[in-house]
């Protein structure tokens, strides 16, 4: 069974990157981190209002952000349906922030979206740049390695 990557795109957020490319990125990150193939992850490309509301509800921050990660392992366990791949969680990417950041650093929007998806997936896999400086550096190095392997080598803002 292949790693299942579900992609949802909020109206108004289409056309920045191909859905197939998001799946390729997610599968590569998961495979390279040794995640079993029998898993599922959801990727959402969202507008400013959606991201701001989720950030307010789940992080207590009433502001737009670039990426939010919701690991299925956080909080109370939710039983998986029989015969269905267990979910690792969900990555929600703020398209408008990605567009702005891409413009600021001179990268294509697709490259910034690839960076944010990689960053969000690493959070789901247990990386956390907010714990300590050495952990932030470890996460940054891992992001850069993965992005280079995916063909997105470049200058990315880290730390979010």
């Amino acid at each position: 069974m292949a790693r299942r990557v579900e992609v949802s795109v909020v109206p108004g957020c289409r056309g920045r990157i191909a859905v197939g490319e998001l799946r390729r990125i997610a599968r590569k990150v998961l495979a390279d981190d040794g995640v079993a193939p029998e898993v599922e992850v959801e990727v959402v490309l969202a507008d400013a209002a959606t991201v701001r509301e989720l950030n307010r509800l789940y992080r207590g921050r009433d502001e737009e952000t670039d990426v939010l990660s919701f690991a299925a392992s956080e909080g109370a366990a939710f039983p998986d349906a029989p015969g269905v791949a267990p979910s690792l969680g969900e990555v929600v990417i703020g398209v408008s922030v990605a567009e702005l950041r891409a413009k600021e650093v001179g990268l294509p929007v697709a490259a910034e979206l690839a960076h944010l998806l990689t960053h969000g997936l690493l959070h789901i896999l247990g990386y956390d740049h907010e714990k300590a400086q050495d952990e932030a550096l470890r996460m940054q190095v891992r992001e850069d390695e993965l992005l280079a392997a995916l063909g997105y080598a470049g200058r990315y803002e880290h730390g979010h």
Side-chain angles (χ1 to χ4, degrees), residues 71-153:
S73 62
E74 294 176 333
F78 191 81
D80 293 313
V84 175
S87 175
L88 289 178
E90 182 176 67
V91 176
V92 181
I93 300 171
V95 172
S96 60
V97 173
E99 289 174 328
L100 180 62
R101 185 163 299 136
K103 185 176 181 179
E104 288 173 354
V105 297
L107 289 171
V109 173
E112 184 60 24
L113 292 170
H115 171 235
L116 294 174
L117 176 55
T118 301
H119 183 87
L121 288 169
L122 289 177
H123 271 302
I124 285 175
L125 296 173
Y127 290 77
D128 189 350
H129 56 84
E130 295 178 352
K131 281 184 181 176
Q133 185 61 36
D134 61 328
E135 184 68 14
L137 181 58
R138 178 176 164 260
M139 187 172 185
Q140 179 178 337
V141 167
R142 188 69 182 127
E143 282 178 16
D144 290 341
E145 290 170 348
L146 288 163
L147 289 165
L150 285 160
Y152 290 103

Side-chain angles (χ1 to χ4, degrees), residues 12-85:
C13 295
R14 290 199 181 283
R16 278 41 169 223
I17 189 170
V19 168
E21 180 63 1
L22 292 170
R23 288 189 176 111
R24 181 183 81 89
I25 293 163
R27 288 181 178 131
K28 172 76 171 160
V29 171
L30 298 175
D32 280 15
D33 222 61
V35 175
E38 300 82 21
V39 298
E40 178 176 305
V41 67
E42 184 168 353
V43 178
V44 179
L45 297 183
D47 59 13
T50 300
V51 173
R52 183 178 188 138
E53 181 65 9
L54 289 171
N55 202 23
R56 186 186 66 73
L57 286 171
Y58 294 100
R59 296 180 72 221
R61 298 180 182 175
D62 190 12
E63 61 191 19
E64 190 177 359
T65 191
D66 53 3
V67 62
L68 295 166
S69 298
F70 300 97
S73 62
E74 294 176 333
F78 191 81
D80 293 313
V84 175

